[in-house]
Amino acid sequence: KQEDKINIVDPAGTGIIYDKFYRFEGYQIYQMKNATAGVTDLDDQSLARQVAQCDIKNGVSRMVNFNFDEVLGFSVPIEKVKGEDKGIKHSFRITEDMFASGDRKLVNNKTYYYIAVAYAYNNYKTFDPTDPQLLDGQKKPYLRSTKNADGSTVKAFVVIPHHVEPE
């Protein structure tokens, strides 16, 4: 987009344009195993499981970061988002316990923990470790937030489902 051109830079005067800013792309919601699991545990499947995701409707749906593996000597792809590209939602219906074995229905009066995090996107140039012309591309187009809008650290929400008929 033309309005985004104000943020691109050519640091070495090479004619190669780099966009140094990540822009909001969407949200991911995770169920946490317990009260001690936090935002630093979101990539650990034994402590956090994604239950919902939404993103801006803009043609970006899948985000893959490449992390350099010292043992292999190669950049390894890690899928970070497999998005819907259907727009931002503000309400989610969660009916399953992602950590339950057997019946996964939520249990009344049981405590559950959820974390919602925003993530951003920047892909100024596609990276491909197999193409010499694309080795200078964006290796990490996905960036997860660890802070809330007010600057505080993202914390889990406590959720306790219960029957509301008596209320």
Short mmCIF file of all heavy atoms in Angstrom, two decimals, residues 5 7-11 14-23 60 62-66 121-142:
data_model
loop_
_atom_site.label_atom_id
_atom_site.label_comp_id
_atom_site.label_asym_id
_atom_site.label_seq_id
_atom_site.Cartn_x
_atom_site.Cartn_y
_atom_site.Cartn_z
N LYS A 5 4.59 3.04 2.50
CA LYS A 5 5.89 3.38 1.93
C LYS A 5 6.68 4.32 2.84
O LYS A 5 7.90 4.35 2.76
CB LYS A 5 5.73 4.04 0.56
CG LYS A 5 5.05 3.16 -0.47
CD LYS A 5 5.92 2.01 -0.87
CE LYS A 5 5.24 1.20 -1.94
NZ LYS A 5 5.68 -0.15 -2.00
N ASN A 7 7.38 3.94 5.85
CA ASN A 7 8.10 3.18 6.86
C ASN A 7 9.20 2.28 6.28
O ASN A 7 9.84 1.56 7.01
CB ASN A 7 7.13 2.31 7.66
CG ASN A 7 6.20 3.15 8.50
OD1 ASN A 7 6.61 4.16 9.02
ND2 ASN A 7 4.97 2.74 8.61
N ILE A 8 9.39 2.31 4.97
CA ILE A 8 10.41 1.44 4.41
C ILE A 8 11.73 2.19 4.33
O ILE A 8 11.77 3.40 4.17
CB ILE A 8 9.99 0.89 3.04
CG1 ILE A 8 9.60 1.99 2.06
CG2 ILE A 8 8.86 -0.09 3.19
CD1 ILE A 8 9.20 1.50 0.70
N VAL A 9 12.81 1.43 4.48
CA VAL A 9 14.13 2.05 4.52
C VAL A 9 15.10 1.28 3.63
O VAL A 9 14.93 0.11 3.36
CB VAL A 9 14.69 2.10 5.95
CG1 VAL A 9 13.85 3.01 6.83
CG2 VAL A 9 14.77 0.72 6.56
N ASP A 10 16.13 1.98 3.20
CA ASP A 10 17.22 1.40 2.43
C ASP A 10 18.49 1.76 3.19
O ASP A 10 19.18 2.71 2.87
CB ASP A 10 17.22 2.01 1.02
CG ASP A 10 18.34 1.47 0.14
OD1 ASP A 10 19.04 0.55 0.58
OD2 ASP A 10 18.51 2.00 -0.97
N PRO A 11 18.81 0.99 4.26
CA PRO A 11 19.86 1.38 5.18
C PRO A 11 21.25 1.51 4.56
O PRO A 11 22.04 2.35 4.98
CB PRO A 11 19.84 0.28 6.24
CG PRO A 11 19.18 -0.88 5.60
CD PRO A 11 18.24 -0.32 4.58
N THR A 14 21.58 0.63 -1.07
CA THR A 14 21.78 -0.39 -2.11
C THR A 14 20.64 -0.47 -3.11
O THR A 14 20.75 -1.17 -4.10
CB THR A 14 21.92 -1.78 -1.46
OG1 THR A 14 20.70 -2.07 -0.76
CG2 THR A 14 23.10 -1.84 -0.53
N GLY A 15 19.56 0.22 -2.83
CA GLY A 15 18.38 0.09 -3.67
C GLY A 15 17.47 -1.03 -3.23
O GLY A 15 16.41 -1.23 -3.80
N ILE A 16 17.89 -1.79 -2.22
CA ILE A 16 17.06 -2.86 -1.67
C ILE A 16 16.21 -2.26 -0.55
O ILE A 16 16.73 -1.66 0.38
CB ILE A 16 17.92 -4.02 -1.13
CG1 ILE A 16 18.76 -4.61 -2.25
CG2 ILE A 16 17.02 -5.09 -0.51
CD1 ILE A 16 19.78 -5.62 -1.77
N ILE A 17 14.92 -2.40 -0.66
CA ILE A 17 13.99 -1.78 0.28
C ILE A 17 13.62 -2.78 1.37
O ILE A 17 13.28 -3.92 1.10
CB ILE A 17 12.70 -1.32 -0.45
CG1 ILE A 17 13.05 -0.36 -1.59
CG2 ILE A 17 11.73 -0.71 0.53
CD1 ILE A 17 13.74 0.91 -1.16
N TYR A 18 13.71 -2.33 2.62
CA TYR A 18 13.34 -3.14 3.77
C TYR A 18 12.28 -2.39 4.57
O TYR A 18 12.42 -1.20 4.81
CB TYR A 18 14.55 -3.39 4.67
CG TYR A 18 15.65 -4.14 3.99
CD1 TYR A 18 16.71 -3.48 3.40
CD2 TYR A 18 15.62 -5.53 3.93
CE1 TYR A 18 17.72 -4.17 2.77
CE2 TYR A 18 16.62 -6.24 3.30
CZ TYR A 18 17.67 -5.55 2.71
OH TYR A 18 18.66 -6.25 2.09
N ASP A 19 11.25 -3.10 4.98
CA ASP A 19 10.23 -2.53 5.85
C ASP A 19 10.58 -2.98 7.26
O ASP A 19 10.56 -4.17 7.56
CB ASP A 19 8.85 -3.05 5.44
CG ASP A 19 7.73 -2.47 6.27
OD1 ASP A 19 8.00 -1.81 7.28
OD2 ASP A 19 6.57 -2.69 5.90
N LYS A 20 10.90 -2.04 8.14
CA LYS A 20 11.37 -2.42 9.47
C LYS A 20 10.26 -2.55 10.50
O LYS A 20 10.53 -2.87 11.65
CB LYS A 20 12.41 -1.42 9.97
CG LYS A 20 11.89 -0.02 10.17
CD LYS A 20 13.00 0.89 10.66
CE LYS A 20 12.47 2.29 10.93
NZ LYS A 20 13.48 3.12 11.55
N PHE A 21 9.01 -2.34 10.12
CA PHE A 21 7.91 -2.36 11.07
C PHE A 21 7.00 -3.57 10.91
O PHE A 21 6.63 -3.93 9.81
CB PHE A 21 7.06 -1.09 10.95
CG PHE A 21 7.79 0.15 11.33
CD1 PHE A 21 8.29 0.99 10.36
CD2 PHE A 21 8.00 0.47 12.66
CE1 PHE A 21 8.98 2.14 10.71
CE2 PHE A 21 8.70 1.60 13.02
CZ PHE A 21 9.19 2.44 12.04
N TYR A 22 6.67 -4.18 12.04
CA TYR A 22 5.65 -5.22 12.08
C TYR A 22 4.31 -4.53 12.31
O TYR A 22 4.24 -3.56 13.06
CB TYR A 22 5.91 -6.20 13.24
CG TYR A 22 7.00 -7.19 12.96
CD1 TYR A 22 8.34 -6.86 13.17
CD2 TYR A 22 6.70 -8.46 12.50
CE1 TYR A 22 9.34 -7.78 12.92
CE2 TYR A 22 7.70 -9.39 12.26
CZ TYR A 22 9.01 -9.05 12.46
OH TYR A 22 10.00 -9.95 12.21
N ARG A 23 3.26 -5.05 11.69
CA ARG A 23 1.92 -4.48 11.83
C ARG A 23 0.97 -5.53 12.38
O ARG A 23 1.08 -6.71 12.05
CB ARG A 23 1.45 -3.96 10.49
CG ARG A 23 2.21 -2.72 10.07
CD ARG A 23 1.93 -2.33 8.62
NE ARG A 23 2.77 -1.21 8.23
CZ ARG A 23 4.05 -1.30 7.91
NH1 ARG A 23 4.66 -2.45 7.92
NH2 ARG A 23 4.73 -0.22 7.57
N VAL A 60 -3.28 -12.63 3.92
CA VAL A 60 -2.22 -13.29 4.70
C VAL A 60 -2.90 -14.30 5.61
O VAL A 60 -3.70 -13.93 6.46
CB VAL A 60 -1.42 -12.28 5.55
CG1 VAL A 60 -0.40 -12.99 6.41
CG2 VAL A 60 -0.76 -11.23 4.66
N ARG A 62 -1.14 -17.80 6.27
CA ARG A 62 -0.14 -18.73 6.82
C ARG A 62 1.16 -17.98 7.06
O ARG A 62 1.64 -17.28 6.17
CB ARG A 62 0.08 -19.87 5.85
CG ARG A 62 0.99 -20.95 6.39
CD ARG A 62 0.96 -22.17 5.46
NE ARG A 62 1.75 -23.23 6.03
CZ ARG A 62 2.81 -23.75 5.44
NH1 ARG A 62 3.19 -23.32 4.25
NH2 ARG A 62 3.49 -24.71 6.02
N MET A 63 1.71 -18.14 8.25
CA MET A 63 2.98 -17.50 8.58
C MET A 63 3.97 -18.55 9.04
O MET A 63 3.68 -19.34 9.94
CB MET A 63 2.81 -16.46 9.68
CG MET A 63 2.06 -15.25 9.23
SD MET A 63 2.06 -14.05 10.54
CE MET A 63 0.47 -13.34 10.27
N VAL A 64 5.14 -18.54 8.41
CA VAL A 64 6.20 -19.49 8.74
C VAL A 64 7.47 -18.71 9.06
O VAL A 64 7.93 -17.91 8.25
CB VAL A 64 6.46 -20.46 7.56
CG1 VAL A 64 7.61 -21.39 7.87
CG2 VAL A 64 5.20 -21.24 7.22
N ASN A 65 8.00 -18.91 10.26
CA ASN A 65 9.29 -18.35 10.63
C ASN A 65 10.37 -19.38 10.36
O ASN A 65 10.13 -20.58 10.46
CB ASN A 65 9.32 -17.96 12.12
CG ASN A 65 8.62 -16.66 12.40
OD1 ASN A 65 8.10 -16.00 11.50
ND2 ASN A 65 8.57 -16.28 13.65
N PHE A 66 11.57 -18.90 10.04
CA PHE A 66 12.71 -19.78 9.82
C PHE A 66 13.72 -19.54 10.94
O PHE A 66 14.19 -18.42 11.12
CB PHE A 66 13.36 -19.50 8.47
CG PHE A 66 12.55 -20.00 7.31
CD1 PHE A 66 11.54 -19.24 6.77
CD2 PHE A 66 12.80 -21.25 6.76
CE1 PHE A 66 10.79 -19.69 5.70
CE2 PHE A 66 12.06 -21.72 5.70
CZ PHE A 66 11.05 -20.94 5.16
N TYR A 121 2.77 -8.95 11.72
CA TYR A 121 3.28 -9.51 10.48
C TYR A 121 4.17 -8.51 9.76
O TYR A 121 3.88 -7.31 9.74
CB TYR A 121 2.09 -9.89 9.59
CG TYR A 121 2.44 -10.41 8.22
CD1 TYR A 121 2.95 -11.69 8.05
CD2 TYR A 121 2.23 -9.63 7.09
CE1 TYR A 121 3.24 -12.19 6.79
CE2 TYR A 121 2.52 -10.12 5.83
CZ TYR A 121 3.03 -11.39 5.68
OH TYR A 121 3.32 -11.88 4.44
N ASN A 122 5.24 -9.01 9.19
CA ASN A 122 6.10 -8.22 8.30
C ASN A 122 6.78 -9.20 7.37
O ASN A 122 7.52 -10.08 7.80
CB ASN A 122 7.14 -7.43 9.08
CG ASN A 122 8.11 -6.68 8.17
OD1 ASN A 122 8.25 -6.98 6.99
ND2 ASN A 122 8.77 -5.70 8.72
N ASN A 123 6.53 -9.05 6.09
CA ASN A 123 7.22 -9.89 5.10
C ASN A 123 7.64 -9.00 3.94
O ASN A 123 7.06 -9.06 2.87
CB ASN A 123 6.33 -11.04 4.63
CG ASN A 123 7.13 -12.10 3.89
OD1 ASN A 123 8.30 -12.31 4.18
ND2 ASN A 123 6.51 -12.74 2.93
N TYR A 124 8.66 -8.18 4.19
CA TYR A 124 9.11 -7.24 3.17
C TYR A 124 9.67 -7.96 1.94
O TYR A 124 9.65 -7.44 0.85
CB TYR A 124 10.14 -6.26 3.73
CG TYR A 124 11.42 -6.91 4.22
CD1 TYR A 124 12.46 -7.22 3.35
CD2 TYR A 124 11.59 -7.20 5.57
CE1 TYR A 124 13.62 -7.81 3.80
CE2 TYR A 124 12.75 -7.79 6.03
CZ TYR A 124 13.77 -8.10 5.14
OH TYR A 124 14.91 -8.68 5.58
N LYS A 125 10.17 -9.19 2.14
CA LYS A 125 10.66 -10.01 1.03
C LYS A 125 10.63 -11.46 1.49
O LYS A 125 11.10 -11.79 2.56
CB LYS A 125 12.09 -9.63 0.65
CG LYS A 125 12.65 -10.42 -0.51
CD LYS A 125 14.07 -9.98 -0.87
CE LYS A 125 14.60 -10.80 -2.04
NZ LYS A 125 15.99 -10.43 -2.35
N THR A 126 10.06 -12.32 0.67
CA THR A 126 9.96 -13.74 1.01
C THR A 126 11.35 -14.35 1.15
O THR A 126 12.23 -14.09 0.33
CB THR A 126 9.16 -14.49 -0.08
OG1 THR A 126 7.85 -13.91 -0.14
CG2 THR A 126 9.05 -15.96 0.24
N PHE A 127 11.52 -15.14 2.19
CA PHE A 127 12.77 -15.87 2.43
C PHE A 127 12.61 -17.30 1.95
O PHE A 127 11.59 -17.93 2.18
CB PHE A 127 13.11 -15.87 3.92
CG PHE A 127 14.27 -16.75 4.29
CD1 PHE A 127 15.57 -16.33 4.05
CD2 PHE A 127 14.08 -18.00 4.84
CE1 PHE A 127 16.65 -17.13 4.38
CE2 PHE A 127 15.15 -18.81 5.18
CZ PHE A 127 16.44 -18.37 4.95
N ASP A 128 13.62 -17.81 1.24
CA ASP A 128 13.63 -19.21 0.81
C ASP A 128 15.06 -19.71 0.93
O ASP A 128 15.94 -19.26 0.19
CB ASP A 128 13.13 -19.34 -0.62
CG ASP A 128 13.03 -20.79 -1.09
OD1 ASP A 128 13.59 -21.69 -0.42
OD2 ASP A 128 12.41 -21.02 -2.14
N PRO A 129 15.32 -20.64 1.88
CA PRO A 129 16.70 -21.10 2.08
C PRO A 129 17.25 -21.91 0.91
O PRO A 129 18.44 -22.17 0.85
CB PRO A 129 16.60 -21.97 3.34
CG PRO A 129 15.19 -22.40 3.39
CD PRO A 129 14.38 -21.28 2.78
N THR A 130 16.41 -22.28 -0.04
CA THR A 130 16.86 -23.05 -1.20
C THR A 130 17.11 -22.18 -2.42
O THR A 130 17.56 -22.68 -3.45
CB THR A 130 15.84 -24.14 -1.56
OG1 THR A 130 14.61 -23.52 -1.96
CG2 THR A 130 15.59 -25.07 -0.37
N ASP A 131 16.81 -20.88 -2.33
CA ASP A 131 16.97 -19.97 -3.46
C ASP A 131 17.99 -18.89 -3.11
O ASP A 131 17.72 -18.05 -2.25
CB ASP A 131 15.63 -19.34 -3.81
CG ASP A 131 15.67 -18.46 -5.04
OD1 ASP A 131 16.77 -18.02 -5.45
OD2 ASP A 131 14.59 -18.19 -5.60
N PRO A 132 19.15 -18.85 -3.75
CA PRO A 132 20.18 -17.85 -3.42
C PRO A 132 19.70 -16.41 -3.58
O PRO A 132 20.20 -15.51 -2.92
CB PRO A 132 21.31 -18.15 -4.42
CG PRO A 132 21.06 -19.53 -4.90
CD PRO A 132 19.59 -19.78 -4.77
N GLN A 133 18.71 -16.18 -4.43
CA GLN A 133 18.18 -14.83 -4.64
C GLN A 133 17.26 -14.38 -3.50
O GLN A 133 16.94 -13.20 -3.40
CB GLN A 133 17.41 -14.76 -5.96
CG GLN A 133 18.25 -15.07 -7.17
CD GLN A 133 19.37 -14.07 -7.35
OE1 GLN A 133 19.17 -12.86 -7.23
NE2 GLN A 133 20.57 -14.56 -7.62
N LEU A 134 16.84 -15.33 -2.66
CA LEU A 134 15.89 -15.01 -1.59
C LEU A 134 16.46 -15.21 -0.19
O LEU A 134 15.74 -15.20 0.80
CB LEU A 134 14.61 -15.84 -1.75
CG LEU A 134 13.83 -15.61 -3.04
CD1 LEU A 134 12.64 -16.54 -3.13
CD2 LEU A 134 13.39 -14.16 -3.17
N LEU A 135 17.76 -15.37 -0.07
CA LEU A 135 18.38 -15.58 1.25
C LEU A 135 18.37 -14.32 2.11
O LEU A 135 18.57 -14.40 3.32
CB LEU A 135 19.82 -16.10 1.08
CG LEU A 135 19.93 -17.51 0.53
CD1 LEU A 135 21.40 -17.87 0.33
CD2 LEU A 135 19.25 -18.52 1.42
N ASP A 136 18.16 -13.16 1.50
CA ASP A 136 18.10 -11.91 2.26
C ASP A 136 16.66 -11.52 2.61
O ASP A 136 16.39 -10.41 3.04
CB ASP A 136 18.77 -10.77 1.50
CG ASP A 136 18.09 -10.46 0.17
OD1 ASP A 136 17.34 -11.32 -0.34
OD2 ASP A 136 18.32 -9.37 -0.37
N GLY A 137 15.73 -12.45 2.46
CA GLY A 137 14.33 -12.18 2.77
C GLY A 137 14.04 -12.21 4.27
O GLY A 137 14.93 -12.45 5.10
N GLN A 138 12.79 -11.97 4.60
CA GLN A 138 12.34 -11.91 5.99
C GLN A 138 12.25 -13.32 6.56
O GLN A 138 11.37 -14.09 6.20
CB GLN A 138 10.99 -11.20 6.05
CG GLN A 138 10.34 -11.14 7.41
CD GLN A 138 11.12 -10.33 8.42
OE1 GLN A 138 12.18 -10.75 8.86
NE2 GLN A 138 10.60 -9.18 8.78
N LYS A 139 13.15 -13.66 7.48
CA LYS A 139 13.16 -15.00 8.07
C LYS A 139 12.08 -15.18 9.12
O LYS A 139 11.68 -16.29 9.42
CB LYS A 139 14.53 -15.30 8.68
CG LYS A 139 15.62 -15.45 7.65
CD LYS A 139 16.94 -15.75 8.29
CE LYS A 139 18.00 -15.86 7.22
NZ LYS A 139 19.10 -14.97 7.42
N LYS A 140 11.64 -14.09 9.71
CA LYS A 140 10.63 -14.18 10.78
C LYS A 140 9.51 -13.17 10.52
O LYS A 140 9.47 -12.10 11.13
CB LYS A 140 11.28 -13.95 12.13
CG LYS A 140 12.31 -15.04 12.44
CD LYS A 140 12.82 -14.99 13.84
CE LYS A 140 13.81 -16.13 14.01
NZ LYS A 140 14.16 -16.39 15.36
N PRO A 141 8.56 -13.54 9.64
CA PRO A 141 7.44 -12.63 9.37
C PRO A 141 6.42 -12.53 10.51
O PRO A 141 5.67 -11.58 10.59
CB PRO A 141 6.79 -13.20 8.12
CG PRO A 141 7.21 -14.63 8.08
CD PRO A 141 8.55 -14.70 8.77
N TYR A 142 6.43 -13.53 11.42
CA TYR A 142 5.49 -13.58 12.54
C TYR A 142 6.19 -13.09 13.81
O TYR A 142 7.31 -13.48 14.10
CB TYR A 142 5.04 -15.03 12.74
CG TYR A 142 4.33 -15.32 14.04
CD1 TYR A 142 2.96 -15.19 14.15
CD2 TYR A 142 5.03 -15.75 15.16
CE1 TYR A 142 2.31 -15.48 15.34
CE2 TYR A 142 4.40 -16.05 16.35
CZ TYR A 142 3.02 -15.91 16.44
OH TYR A 142 2.38 -16.20 17.61
#
